[in-house]
Every structure is written in structure tokens, then in C-alpha cells.
Amino acid sequence: MTEFVSSILGILVEKLTSSAVEEIQLVCGIKDDQEKLKNTLEMIQMALADAKQRQTKEKAMRLWLLRLKNWCYDAEDTLDEFEARAL
């Protein structure tokens, strides 16, 4: 599951750093929010390395990964919607 979540996070980081999204963020004045979200996603990616080893032994880690996966889907949907509205 960690590989799956990591791939979704990678997609989110790519979307956040796309030139179209960056232009929209500058116009809307939310560049700082984008940078904070990008930093958070990068920290989560680093935590996934530890989670990969722990998920087989700890139920809490599996639950965290499941919730993180759902959050990633929600975040991706939100970014898609934001980009579609802005364009």
C-alpha cells in the first residue's frame, strides 16, 4: 500500500508544481498555501519509508495508510477542481 500512496503523492506534488497551477496561484494570491502543502506532501513521502516497514506489524499504521490514501484522492480531486475552475 505504501507504494500506491507514494505514487499518488508524487502526482499531487507534480500538479502543485505545474506551470499552469503556479500561474493560477500567483493570480489568486495563494502561493504561500501551495508551498506549505508541497512541504507537507514531501514530509509525508518521507514518513512512508518508515511506514512501509511497520505496516505489516501494526494495525494503526495500516489504518493511517488507508486514511492517507483517501486523503490523497480527495486532495487530487480538489486540485483538479481548482485547476478546472481557474481555467
Side-chain angles (χ1 to χ4, degrees):
M1 184 180 303
T2 57
E3 291 85 10
F4 183 75
V5 174
S6 184
S7 68
I8 296 171
L9 287 171
I11 292 169
L12 291 174
V13 170
E14 284 179 30
K15 285 185 179 201
L16 284 171
T17 57
S18 75
S19 59
V21 170
E22 286 188 0
E23 285 182 37
I24 294 165
Q25 292 164 345
L26 286 173
V27 170
C28 296
I30 56 171
K31 182 71 176 162
D32 290 341
D33 293 334
Q34 179 262 351
E35 192 62 32
K36 288 176 188 175
L37 180 56
K38 182 181 168 213
N39 290 338
T40 300
L41 291 174
E42 289 171 346
M43 288 190 317
I44 291 170
Q45 284 178 313
M46 298 301 288
L48 282 175
D50 182 48
K52 182 177 182 178
Q53 295 174 351
R54 295 173 49 195
Q55 73 177 338
T56 57
K57 298 177 185 174
E58 299 177 32
K59 290 181 182 180
M61 187 57 61
R62 286 192 299 272
L63 179 60
W64 180 79
L65 287 168
L66 179 63
R67 289 181 178 170
L68 179 59
K69 181 178 86 171
N70 292 334
W71 178 86
C72 287
Y73 281 134
D74 291 343
E76 185 176 21
D77 291 346
T78 301
L79 285 174
D80 288 343
E81 184 178 324
F82 174 74
E83 189 173 20
R85 286 185 183 192
L87 298 174

